[in-house]
Amino acid sequence: MRIEGRIIPPKGKEKLWGVEIDSIGVFTQGKSLRNAYLMAKDAVELLAEDAGIPFEATIEPGSEKHTFTLGCDDARSFLQFTLRRIRESNDLSLMEVSEKLDSNSPNAYSRYEHGTMPRLDTLEEMLGVIDPDLDLVFKKRA
């Protein structure tokens, strides 16, 4: 599992490279392209650690210009972190997501943020409720 981010090259007199991972609400900058990738990796790892879900992130340049993908070797932890960040980036509480999923209990959704792996159809439904602009995409690596 990986999520996509984009690199924003410096323009004009700017010297910093921007990094945006919109789906999880991360924006950072670096002094070079290489440094921008390192800053993105560091930002995500710090957020994961703060959430009590530490992991080591990996970044791979994308197949399209100025894109990259971010992931880690622990799919369960990465999904747990990603679901939480997507929900928080959309300013939704656990109760609000549960209600949108037609559930009376915030525990119904919360269990996925705590490591229970959802079925693919459940994951699609959750993502559609949290952020209708997100889509699961299967894509060959470059």
Side-chain angles (χ1 to χ4, degrees):
M1 178 180 158
R2 303 188 68 77
I3 54 177
E4 190 171 62
R6 69 185 186 105
I7 296 288
I8 305 158
K11 295 179 183 173
K13 294 183 180 183
E14 294 176 0
K15 294 184 180 188
L16 297 176
W17 292 71
V19 181
E20 184 177 67
I21 310 171
D22 192 44
S23 61
I24 59 171
V26 171
F27 184 84
T28 189
Q29 297 175 317
K31 294 178 181 179
S32 65
L33 177 59
R34 178 172 156 64
N35 184 248
Y37 283 137
L38 291 173
M39 296 301 289
K41 179 183 183 314
D42 189 51
V44 169
E45 288 175 350
L46 285 172
L47 287 169
E49 188 175 316
D50 286 349
I53 315 166
F55 57 77
E56 185 172 340
T58 59
I59 290 188
E60 295 178 8
S63 57
E64 296 177 30
K65 189 175 183 178
H66 303 305
T67 65
F68 65 91
T69 61
L70 184 134
C72 85
D73 61 355
D74 182 355
R76 183 178 306 272
S77 294
F78 192 65
L79 180 60
Q80 183 180 350
F81 167 76
T82 302
L83 287 173
R84 181 175 178 169
R85 287 296 304 173
I86 292 170
R87 177 181 58 79
E88 290 173 345
S89 293
N90 285 282
D91 296 320
L92 294 170
S93 69
L94 288 170
M95 184 58 91
E96 288 169 323
V97 173
S98 294
E99 288 170 358
K100 288 181 179 212
L101 291 169
D102 293 326
S103 174
N104 296 327
S105 169
N107 293 335
Y109 175 79
S110 176
R111 69 178 182 238
Y112 299 114
E113 287 189 12
H114 287 90
T116 299
M117 293 296 283
R119 294 187 331 249
L120 186 57
D121 60 331
T122 303
L123 179 59
E124 272 190 316
E125 180 184 10
M126 288 186 304
L127 291 175
V129 163
I130 298 169
D131 187 340
D133 294 331
L134 286 178
D135 198 8
L136 289 175
V137 175
F138 294 93
K139 186 175 177 179
K140 287 199 180 252
R141 294 180 189 181

